[in-house]
Amino acid sequence: MMFNHEKYEKKYFLPPNLTYDWVKKETLESAPIWCSVDLRDGNQALPIPMNLEEKLEMFQLLVEIGFKEIEIAFPAASDTEFRLLRTLIDHHMIPDDVTIMVITQAREHIIRRTFEAIKGVPKAIVHLYNSTSEAQRRQVFKKTKDEIKQIAMDGAILVKELAEKTNSNIYFQYSPESFPGTEVDYALDICNSVLDIWKPTPTHKAIINIPTTVEYSMPHIFASQIEYIHKNLSYRDSVTLSVHPHNDRGSGVSDAEFGVLAGAERVEGTLFGIGERTGNVDLITLAMNMYSQGYDPKLNFNNLEAIRKKYEKLTKITVHERQPYSGEMVFTAFSGSHQDAISKGMKYRKENHVDKWDVPYIPVDPADLGRNYQTAVIRINSQSGKGGIGYILETNYGIQLPYQMNEAMGYAAKKVSDQTNRELSIEEIYHVFKEQYVDFHPHFQLLDYQFHKGEKQEVTLTLLRDHQQIEIQGTGTGSLDAISNALKAYFHLEYVLEVYEQNSLGKDSQAQACAQIGISYQGKMHWGAGIDKDIIEATVKALMVAVNKLEVWM
């Protein structure tokens, strides 16, 4: 049996005292300390790791976004990363308000090489780690709990000794790697043993970082584990408690948010969640979740579109089109009912001068992230509805269709999408409108018209029908009535002019007008539109198309 759930069992450990005080908190109201590990976890996950120039460009991007802590990776393990550090330090490329972090295993030669890499840095975080899980103790290292703890303590002693020999301001961080598979009280014991060596102070804090190296539990369990660590850490006022969620269960964002509610003050992650296996927690999603609730995330994603494109260029990884906030299609609606609600919401917002963002289906204003309403919000395929198509015509071309005509135009556009089995561009939608409602005159075409003064409005129309010019006359109470009566008399028609609307396609005196006319014939509506600088001309054109639409020509 290949797909057999019985070969698996629970791998996580509950805290000795399980509490849920964190659930009493409503949301994240202040930003944690953000630490980007894009140059470590993000880079080591790439099929083709970034070269030195690309890493320097990535570092600059992270600085521009607003990260104050940036992990540079394993300088002892890679010549490229060693040179990256030396380039940043030797060329004074690290801003005064940014602290770099380097990571090292708790092994002597790696720790010493790491300190060589950061020689001369004004300040840095040295991140020490060793794996503590029950499975790795038993299967990989074949060591006891005391022996694994001693590895961490020996590493902490050496890190402190080497830091005291430098002229740099060195901060310490420890991670019990593979924490989710580690007994929680044992992980706490190791962390406190390391802190006893480092003896942090409120003015020179240490960092205890809890990584969900592999997610084993639901987020509420992880939060309770963090709460236990938070309540029982030694030197608590001198320690920054950090979380480093991965995404094996798809709960990285929840782990991070719940972890901060449970007492963590710092979050490590990557842009777009790039990382080994299923990836790290996406810091963009975390920050934008705060932003969407009205809280300042202390990171700037006002040009997220450009950030995504640069990230894709540097990493050669394509961000998924449905990635929260940053994916190309996350603000896009194809569904007709969604499009209708969005278009009405946008119209309501404009007409009522609404300050707070509250548009159906769109949690944040796409413009805040450098996205364009016309190309990002509503796109048309065979699943779309009249509301979205009307929205596109109005926002891109100023054409405001009557409700029933909007419905007819929607069916016309969806038919084209269905036949071609693809999405329609803005230009293609306008082309359907022009073809079906502006330039549609297969049975007769207006060449000219002249009005004459009299008791009633009189008109002479010159038409082209079957390649021959004909002149017809009509009278009425007004210009449109006279033209309509001329067509009815000549073609023996009995339609009723039901709808006549018009709108300007611009704001200046030279702007064109769009007229829309709907006529009913034998219980069915037929529509036409006309576009011209002269509103009478536009109206006449609209009527000609509507009459051309009648079934009498079949």
Side-chain angles (χ1 to χ4, degrees):
M1 185 175 179
M2 296 296 292
F3 193 70
N4 180 14
H5 68 278
E6 294 180 351
K7 69 191 287 187
Y8 301 98
E9 61 183 3
K10 184 187 77 174
K11 295 184 177 68
Y12 60 86
F13 296 87
L14 295 176
N17 299 306
L18 188 64
T19 58
Y20 291 100
D21 291 344
W22 61 271
V23 302
K24 301 171 186 175
K25 300 177 183 178
E26 182 180 348
T27 188
L28 307 186
E29 296 184 1
S30 59
I33 299 168
W34 304 111
C35 178
S36 162
V37 296
D38 290 276
L39 289 166
R40 189 250 289 186
D41 278 28
N43 182 63
Q44 72 184 17
L46 303 178
I48 305 175
M50 289 178 279
N51 59 33
L52 178 60
E53 290 72 24
E54 289 168 336
K55 289 181 180 182
L56 289 170
E57 192 172 348
M58 177 64 74
F59 179 82
Q60 185 58 41
L61 174 63
L62 296 170
V63 169
E64 291 170 0
I65 290 170
F67 286 100
K68 302 305 179 186
E69 294 186 5
I70 301 172
E71 189 171 64
I72 302 302
F74 289 90
S78 165
D79 180 62
T80 302
E81 285 157 12
F82 190 96
R83 287 190 297 121
L84 171 62
L85 266 171
R86 295 315 315 163
T87 301
L88 291 172
I89 296 169
D90 295 340
H91 292 83
H92 308 288
M93 298 174 68
I94 306 170
D96 293 340
D97 62 344
V98 173
T99 303
I100 63 165
M101 181 167 74
V102 289
I103 186 169
T104 174
Q105 291 176 321
R107 299 170 65 184
E108 181 179 353
H109 71 285
I110 297 178
I111 294 172
R112 292 187 182 279
R113 179 64 170 167
T114 300
F115 273 86
E116 290 176 23
I118 61 173
K119 183 178 181 181
V121 69
K123 59 182 176 179
I125 300 167
V126 174
H127 179 185
L128 179 74
Y129 80 95
N130 67 308
S131 186
T132 59
S133 73
E134 187 279 330
Q136 294 211 44
R137 296 196 310 265
R138 174 169 41 85
Q139 299 176 35
V140 181
F141 303 115
K142 296 180 172 58
K143 292 184 181 295
T144 66
K145 284 184 175 181
D146 287 342
E147 289 173 320
I148 292 294
K149 182 169 77 170
Q150 192 62 50
I151 291 173
M153 294 172 65
D154 290 345
I157 291 169
L158 181 56
V159 164
K160 184 177 182 181
E161 289 177 355
L162 293 177
E164 290 172 346
K165 294 178 182 179
T166 72
N167 295 320
S168 303
N169 189 5
I170 302 297
Y171 296 86
F172 304 135
Q173 173 170 317
Y174 174 71
S175 293
E177 201 250 347
S178 295
F179 169 84
T182 304
E183 303 88 339
V184 182
D185 53 343
Y186 173 59
L188 174 69
D189 179 41
I190 297 179
C191 291
N192 283 337
S193 298
V194 168
L195 291 173
D196 282 337
I197 294 167
W198 286 343
K199 292 183 169 49
T201 66
T203 58
H204 201 277
K205 293 185 175 185
I207 301 168
I208 293 297
N209 182 60
I210 306 299
T212 54
T213 309
V214 179
E215 275 192 316
Y216 286 145
S217 65
M218 294 176 70
H220 74 289
I221 297 296
F222 178 69
S224 293
Q225 293 170 332
I226 294 299
E227 188 168 88
Y228 177 80
I229 300 287
H230 162 61
K231 290 180 176 179
N232 293 281
L233 267 179
S234 301
Y235 309 89
R236 187 63 189 91
D237 64 343
S238 301
V239 174
T240 298
L241 181 57
S242 175
V243 292
H244 179 109
H246 280 248
N247 202 41
D248 302 86
R249 290 172 56 97
S251 304
V253 168
S254 299
D255 281 348
E257 291 180 331
F258 287 8
V260 172
L261 291 179
E265 304 130 300
R266 180 177 180 271
V267 178
E268 295 185 354
T270 62
L271 299 179
F272 311 104
I274 304 297
E276 288 275 40
R277 306 183 316 278
T278 52
N280 290 58
V281 65
D282 178 11
L283 296 183
I284 295 174
T285 299
L286 286 172
M288 287 305 305
N289 283 353
M290 290 188 64
Y291 181 85
S292 68
Q293 298 298 311
Y295 300 105
D296 183 2
K298 304 298 183 183
L299 295 175
N300 189 347
F301 294 112
N302 69 349
N303 202 352
L304 188 52
E305 185 89 344
I307 292 171
R308 174 171 59 84
K309 290 178 180 177
K310 177 171 283 192
Y311 202 92
E312 289 178 331
K313 183 195 78 168
L314 295 175
T315 64
K316 302 169 185 66
I317 293 289
T318 301
V319 175
H320 194 278
E321 59 192 15
R322 301 295 185 186
Q323 180 86 1
Y325 300 106
S326 52
E328 184 178 351
M329 297 179 69
V330 295
F331 298 116
T332 300
F334 288 103
S335 163
S337 60
H338 288 205
Q339 291 176 346
D340 185 59
I342 292 169
S343 61
K344 288 176 179 175
M346 297 290 280
K347 186 176 182 180
Y348 176 89
R349 177 177 175 80
K350 182 178 180 180
E351 291 176 349
N352 293 276
H353 307 287
V354 178
D355 180 46
K356 296 292 186 180
W357 182 260
D358 185 26
V359 174
Y361 298 111
I362 308 293
V364 297
D365 187 348
D368 289 357
L369 307 180
R371 302 291 294 272
N372 184 294
Y373 289 120
Q374 283 77 7
T375 58
V377 177
I378 289 178
R379 289 160 63 172
I380 303 302
N381 63 13
S382 61
Q383 305 302 305
S384 304
K386 59 184 182 295
I389 292 167
Y391 176 84
I392 283 179
L393 289 174
E394 182 172 355
T395 55
N396 290 277
Y397 300 101
I399 298 167
Q400 301 172 27
L401 300 183
Y403 179 82
Q404 287 180 285
M405 185 178 184
N406 202 8
E407 187 173 29
M409 173 60 199
Y411 285 121
K414 288 167 62 175
K415 182 178 180 181
V416 174
S417 176
D418 202 26
Q419 290 173 342
T420 58
N421 196 30
R422 62 179 176 83
E423 178 187 351
L424 299 184
S425 68
I426 292 171
E427 294 77 14
E428 287 174 317
I429 293 166
Y430 182 67
H431 176 74
V432 172
F433 172 71
K434 287 269 289 181
E435 182 180 63
Q436 292 295 318
Y437 297 104
V438 178
D439 299 329
F440 187 86
H441 37 71
H443 309 296
F444 67 90
Q445 185 175 356
L446 177 70
L447 298 180
D448 192 17
Y449 63 92
Q450 291 182 340
F451 292 111
H452 315 288
K453 292 183 179 180
E455 291 184 12
K456 288 189 173 184
Q457 183 69 274
E458 300 178 7
V459 68
T460 299
L461 302 176
T462 303
L463 307 178
L464 180 65
R465 187 184 185 198
D466 297 331
H467 307 291
Q468 293 183 351
Q469 287 191 22
I470 56 174
E471 285 191 354
I472 64 175
Q473 286 78 35
T475 60
T477 56
S479 303
L480 183 57
D481 188 45
I483 294 172
S484 182
N485 287 338
L487 294 174
K488 286 180 179 180
Y490 182 78
F491 291 119
H492 308 291
L493 302 173
E494 287 299 331
Y495 61 80
V496 178
L497 200 154
E498 300 272 9
V499 180
Y500 170 53
E501 293 185 14
Q502 56 173 286
N503 68 276
S504 174
L505 302 185
K507 296 182 179 180
D508 57 50
S509 59
Q510 299 300 312
Q512 289 186 310
C514 181
Q516 305 96 31
I517 283 180
I519 60 176
S520 63
Y521 181 77
Q522 296 181 348
K524 184 177 180 181
M525 289 293 294
H526 302 271
W527 297 93
I531 298 175
D532 199 275
K533 288 184 178 179
D534 181 80
I535 187 58
I536 299 297
E537 184 86 13
T539 302
V540 174
K541 290 178 177 178
L543 180 60
M544 295 299 141
V545 172
V547 176
N548 265 283
K549 289 276 188 177
L550 298 179
E551 288 91 345
V552 296
W553 312 107
M554 302 299 290

PDB file of all heavy atoms in Angstrom, residues 417-431:
ATOM      1  N   SER A 417     -14.580  35.522 -26.173  1.00  0.00           N
ATOM      2  CA  SER A 417     -13.634  34.838 -25.297  1.00  0.00           C
ATOM      3  C   SER A 417     -13.867  33.337 -25.308  1.00  0.00           C
ATOM      4  O   SER A 417     -12.929  32.537 -25.324  1.00  0.00           O
ATOM      5  CB  SER A 417     -13.758  35.382 -23.874  1.00  0.00           C
ATOM      6  OG  SER A 417     -12.915  34.682 -22.997  1.00  0.00           O
ATOM      7  N   ASP A 418     -15.131  32.934 -25.295  1.00  0.00           N
ATOM      8  CA  ASP A 418     -15.473  31.519 -25.296  1.00  0.00           C
ATOM      9  C   ASP A 418     -15.040  30.848 -26.592  1.00  0.00           C
ATOM     10  O   ASP A 418     -14.506  29.727 -26.593  1.00  0.00           O
ATOM     11  CB  ASP A 418     -16.983  31.376 -25.094  1.00  0.00           C
ATOM     12  CG  ASP A 418     -17.361  30.002 -24.556  1.00  0.00           C
ATOM     13  OD1 ASP A 418     -16.507  29.378 -23.889  1.00  0.00           O
ATOM     14  OD2 ASP A 418     -18.489  29.559 -24.806  1.00  0.00           O
ATOM     15  N   GLN A 419     -15.238  31.537 -27.709  1.00  0.00           N
ATOM     16  CA  GLN A 419     -14.882  30.966 -29.012  1.00  0.00           C
ATOM     17  C   GLN A 419     -13.371  30.848 -29.185  1.00  0.00           C
ATOM     18  O   GLN A 419     -12.879  29.897 -29.798  1.00  0.00           O
ATOM     19  CB  GLN A 419     -15.481  31.827 -30.134  1.00  0.00           C
ATOM     20  CG  GLN A 419     -17.004  31.723 -30.234  1.00  0.00           C
ATOM     21  CD  GLN A 419     -17.590  32.700 -31.227  1.00  0.00           C
ATOM     22  OE1 GLN A 419     -16.944  33.686 -31.621  1.00  0.00           O
ATOM     23  NE2 GLN A 419     -18.834  32.455 -31.655  1.00  0.00           N
ATOM     24  N   THR A 420     -12.639  31.825 -28.648  1.00  0.00           N
ATOM     25  CA  THR A 420     -11.171  31.814 -28.790  1.00  0.00           C
ATOM     26  C   THR A 420     -10.488  31.103 -27.628  1.00  0.00           C
ATOM     27  O   THR A 420      -9.284  30.859 -27.671  1.00  0.00           O
ATOM     28  CB  THR A 420     -10.632  33.243 -28.894  1.00  0.00           C
ATOM     29  OG1 THR A 420     -11.021  33.984 -27.722  1.00  0.00           O
ATOM     30  CG2 THR A 420     -11.183  33.950 -30.126  1.00  0.00           C
ATOM     31  N   ASN A 421     -11.281  30.795 -26.568  1.00  0.00           N
ATOM     32  CA  ASN A 421     -10.775  30.087 -25.389  1.00  0.00           C
ATOM     33  C   ASN A 421      -9.594  30.805 -24.752  1.00  0.00           C
ATOM     34  O   ASN A 421      -8.569  30.207 -24.431  1.00  0.00           O
ATOM     35  CB  ASN A 421     -10.371  28.656 -25.765  1.00  0.00           C
ATOM     36  CG  ASN A 421     -10.205  27.783 -24.531  1.00  0.00           C
ATOM     37  OD1 ASN A 421     -10.863  27.999 -23.515  1.00  0.00           O
ATOM     38  ND2 ASN A 421      -9.313  26.802 -24.608  1.00  0.00           N
ATOM     39  N   ARG A 422      -9.743  32.118 -24.564  1.00  0.00           N
ATOM     40  CA  ARG A 422      -8.671  32.891 -23.935  1.00  0.00           C
ATOM     41  C   ARG A 422      -9.238  34.183 -23.344  1.00  0.00           C
ATOM     42  O   ARG A 422     -10.380  34.552 -23.582  1.00  0.00           O
ATOM     43  CB  ARG A 422      -7.578  33.225 -24.943  1.00  0.00           C
ATOM     44  CG  ARG A 422      -8.039  34.076 -26.107  1.00  0.00           C
ATOM     45  CD  ARG A 422      -6.890  34.394 -27.060  1.00  0.00           C
ATOM     46  NE  ARG A 422      -7.346  35.141 -28.227  1.00  0.00           N
ATOM     47  CZ  ARG A 422      -7.528  36.447 -28.241  1.00  0.00           C
ATOM     48  NH1 ARG A 422      -7.300  37.158 -27.136  1.00  0.00           N
ATOM     49  NH2 ARG A 422      -7.944  37.065 -29.333  1.00  0.00           N
ATOM     50  N   GLU A 423      -8.376  34.826 -22.585  1.00  0.00           N
ATOM     51  CA  GLU A 423      -8.705  36.124 -21.999  1.00  0.00           C
ATOM     52  C   GLU A 423      -8.654  37.199 -23.074  1.00  0.00           C
ATOM     53  O   GLU A 423      -7.852  37.118 -24.011  1.00  0.00           O
ATOM     54  CB  GLU A 423      -7.697  36.446 -20.886  1.00  0.00           C
ATOM     55  CG  GLU A 423      -7.891  37.791 -20.227  1.00  0.00           C
ATOM     56  CD  GLU A 423      -6.766  38.124 -19.261  1.00  0.00           C
ATOM     57  OE1 GLU A 423      -5.931  37.235 -18.988  1.00  0.00           O
ATOM     58  OE2 GLU A 423      -6.717  39.273 -18.787  1.00  0.00           O
ATOM     59  N   LEU A 424      -9.503  38.210 -22.937  1.00  0.00           N
ATOM     60  CA  LEU A 424      -9.502  39.343 -23.869  1.00  0.00           C
ATOM     61  C   LEU A 424      -8.767  40.526 -23.262  1.00  0.00           C
ATOM     62  O   LEU A 424      -8.936  40.838 -22.082  1.00  0.00           O
ATOM     63  CB  LEU A 424     -10.937  39.758 -24.222  1.00  0.00           C
ATOM     64  CG  LEU A 424     -11.823  38.717 -24.909  1.00  0.00           C
ATOM     65  CD1 LEU A 424     -13.169  39.344 -25.268  1.00  0.00           C
ATOM     66  CD2 LEU A 424     -11.156  38.151 -26.148  1.00  0.00           C
ATOM     67  N   SER A 425      -7.971  41.196 -24.070  1.00  0.00           N
ATOM     68  CA  SER A 425      -7.287  42.400 -23.613  1.00  0.00           C
ATOM     69  C   SER A 425      -8.259  43.571 -23.606  1.00  0.00           C
ATOM     70  O   SER A 425      -9.364  43.505 -24.166  1.00  0.00           O
ATOM     71  CB  SER A 425      -6.111  42.717 -24.539  1.00  0.00           C
ATOM     72  OG  SER A 425      -6.586  43.107 -25.820  1.00  0.00           O
ATOM     73  N   ILE A 426      -7.837  44.665 -22.993  1.00  0.00           N
ATOM     74  CA  ILE A 426      -8.647  45.886 -22.977  1.00  0.00           C
ATOM     75  C   ILE A 426      -8.938  46.341 -24.395  1.00  0.00           C
ATOM     76  O   ILE A 426     -10.078  46.710 -24.735  1.00  0.00           O
ATOM     77  CB  ILE A 426      -7.909  46.994 -22.187  1.00  0.00           C
ATOM     78  CG1 ILE A 426      -7.835  46.610 -20.697  1.00  0.00           C
ATOM     79  CG2 ILE A 426      -8.607  48.341 -22.355  1.00  0.00           C
ATOM     80  CD1 ILE A 426      -6.961  47.519 -19.883  1.00  0.00           C
ATOM     81  N   GLU A 427      -7.932  46.314 -25.246  1.00  0.00           N
ATOM     82  CA  GLU A 427      -8.102  46.754 -26.631  1.00  0.00           C
ATOM     83  C   GLU A 427      -9.072  45.848 -27.385  1.00  0.00           C
ATOM     84  O   GLU A 427      -9.877  46.326 -28.203  1.00  0.00           O
ATOM     85  CB  GLU A 427      -6.748  46.778 -27.346  1.00  0.00           C
ATOM     86  CG  GLU A 427      -5.763  47.815 -26.814  1.00  0.00           C
ATOM     87  CD  GLU A 427      -5.111  47.406 -25.506  1.00  0.00           C
ATOM     88  OE1 GLU A 427      -5.208  46.207 -25.133  1.00  0.00           O
ATOM     89  OE2 GLU A 427      -4.527  48.279 -24.844  1.00  0.00           O
ATOM     90  N   GLU A 428      -9.024  44.548 -27.100  1.00  0.00           N
ATOM     91  CA  GLU A 428      -9.933  43.616 -27.775  1.00  0.00           C
ATOM     92  C   GLU A 428     -11.380  43.832 -27.339  1.00  0.00           C
ATOM     93  O   GLU A 428     -12.313  43.706 -28.145  1.00  0.00           O
ATOM     94  CB  GLU A 428      -9.498  42.179 -27.502  1.00  0.00           C
ATOM     95  CG  GLU A 428      -8.240  41.773 -28.263  1.00  0.00           C
ATOM     96  CD  GLU A 428      -7.748  40.400 -27.876  1.00  0.00           C
ATOM     97  OE1 GLU A 428      -7.740  40.087 -26.672  1.00  0.00           O
ATOM     98  OE2 GLU A 428      -7.381  39.625 -28.784  1.00  0.00           O
ATOM     99  N   ILE A 429     -11.576  44.157 -26.070  1.00  0.00           N
ATOM    100  CA  ILE A 429     -12.934  44.438 -25.588  1.00  0.00           C
ATOM    101  C   ILE A 429     -13.495  45.666 -26.294  1.00  0.00           C
ATOM    102  O   ILE A 429     -14.651  45.684 -26.731  1.00  0.00           O
ATOM    103  CB  ILE A 429     -12.913  44.636 -24.060  1.00  0.00           C
ATOM    104  CG1 ILE A 429     -12.571  43.312 -23.385  1.00  0.00           C
ATOM    105  CG2 ILE A 429     -14.266  45.161 -23.556  1.00  0.00           C
ATOM    106  CD1 ILE A 429     -12.191  43.441 -21.937  1.00  0.00           C
ATOM    107  N   TYR A 430     -12.667  46.686 -26.417  1.00  0.00           N
ATOM    108  CA  TYR A 430     -13.116  47.897 -27.115  1.00  0.00           C
ATOM    109  C   TYR A 430     -13.412  47.584 -28.590  1.00  0.00           C
ATOM    110  O   TYR A 430     -14.356  48.112 -29.179  1.00  0.00           O
ATOM    111  CB  TYR A 430     -12.056  48.986 -27.004  1.00  0.00           C
ATOM    112  CG  TYR A 430     -12.454  50.293 -27.659  1.00  0.00           C
ATOM    113  CD1 TYR A 430     -13.492  51.062 -27.147  1.00  0.00           C
ATOM    114  CD2 TYR A 430     -11.785  50.752 -28.807  1.00  0.00           C
ATOM    115  CE1 TYR A 430     -13.861  52.261 -27.748  1.00  0.00           C
ATOM    116  CE2 TYR A 430     -12.147  51.942 -29.401  1.00  0.00           C
ATOM    117  CZ  TYR A 430     -13.187  52.689 -28.865  1.00  0.00           C
ATOM    118  OH  TYR A 430     -13.550  53.863 -29.468  1.00  0.00           O
ATOM    119  N   HIS A 431     -12.602  46.702 -29.156  1.00  0.00           N
ATOM    120  CA  HIS A 431     -12.824  46.313 -30.553  1.00  0.00           C
ATOM    121  C   HIS A 431     -14.172  45.603 -30.708  1.00  0.00           C
ATOM    122  O   HIS A 431     -14.901  45.852 -31.687  1.00  0.00           O
ATOM    123  CB  HIS A 431     -11.700  45.390 -31.031  1.00  0.00           C
ATOM    124  CG  HIS A 431     -11.899  44.855 -32.420  1.00  0.00           C
ATOM    125  ND1 HIS A 431     -11.722  45.626 -33.542  1.00  0.00           N
ATOM    126  CD2 HIS A 431     -12.303  43.618 -32.862  1.00  0.00           C
ATOM    127  CE1 HIS A 431     -12.001  44.901 -34.616  1.00  0.00           C
ATOM    128  NE2 HIS A 431     -12.348  43.678 -34.225  1.00  0.00           N
TER     129      HIS A 431
END
